[in-house]
Amino acid sequence: MKSVILSSILPLAVAITAVVGVASGASATEPDKQFFQSAEGKWVGPGEIVAGKYKGTKFNCSFTGSTPDGKMGMTLDGGCRVGMFTQPMSAKIERKGRDYKGSFMGGAAGAGLDIIGGNVVDARKVVFTINRNQLRGVMQARIPDDNSMTVTVAVRVQDQLVPVIGMSLKRVDAVEVGSIAPN
């Protein structure tokens, strides 16, 4: 059962942490660049499925975010763990023409999701549209300060967006975990 959660629900959570915005217009704006740069680095933290069949399931994730050389966008690599099961996760988003397009775990044609639209609201927040078959929804990522990120995934049920996944990540690249202080 836990592996079913990792393969079907957690892809949404990871796609969220891709934390990429979709901007309209022909050129990237300063808030786009600021958001992508602020999402670079190592992030860890808990998440929970807050609605649906697996409501109450808790998981922990670890990701490394980077921006592609010479392109606007983001790559995120890492994984999420539920109990003893760990699922590798990756996402890639790049500017294509006037929009950002992306995929998580191979996109909807594979085992993952397509990122098909959205908006960089400001240098600290992005909202974008996700798609897989009949599943339609949105992901919101907010970086309220330099060391924390909150991510929410909501899916469309009839005419309402229902939150289904929430994550609270902390930056860990500035701290050496497990290091021993010199004498």
Side-chain angles (χ1 to χ4, degrees), residues 158-170:
Q158 296 171 349
D159 292 333
Q160 259 186 315
L161 281 173
V162 177
V164 292
I165 297 173
M167 295 179 66
S168 181
L169 303 170
K170 297 290 180 194

Side-chain angles (χ1 to χ4, degrees), residues 52-182:
K53 184 176 180 178
Y54 299 107
K55 180 179 180 176
T57 301
K58 296 178 186 328
F59 52 90
N60 284 294
C61 296
S62 177
F63 302 106
T64 300
S66 62
T67 53
D69 290 336
K71 297 179 183 178
M72 184 61 65
M74 175 166 224
T75 299
L76 192 77
D77 287 312
C80 292
R81 181 176 53 86
V82 174
M84 2 184 295
F85 299 100
T86 299
Q87 175 71 42
M89 307 273 178
S90 65
K92 184 175 183 178
I93 308 301
E94 288 184 6
R95 187 174 196 91
K96 306 270 185 190
R98 297 180 55 132
D99 249 344
Y100 289 99
K101 299 290 181 185
S103 65
F104 166 72
M105 301 290 286
L113 299 160
D114 291 331
I115 297 169
I116 60 171
N119 185 28
V120 174
V121 176
D122 58 38
R124 296 286 185 184
K125 182 178 176 182
V126 0
V127 178
F128 55 99
T129 307
I130 56 171
N131 182 31
R132 178 178 174 87
N133 301 328
Q134 265 73 31
L135 175 69
R136 304 284 189 266
V138 298
M139 296 181 207
Q140 174 180 300
R142 198 169 56 85
I143 302 175
D145 59 59
D146 292 340
N147 295 311
S148 61
M149 179 187 321
T150 59
V151 181
T152 305
V153 174
V155 296
R156 188 162 300 284
V157 177
Q158 296 171 349
D159 292 333
Q160 259 186 315
L161 281 173
V162 177
V164 292
I165 297 173
M167 295 179 66
S168 181
L169 303 170
K170 297 290 180 194
R171 182 180 302 278
V172 295
D173 49 357
V175 178
E176 293 195 4
V177 179
S179 65
I180 299 173

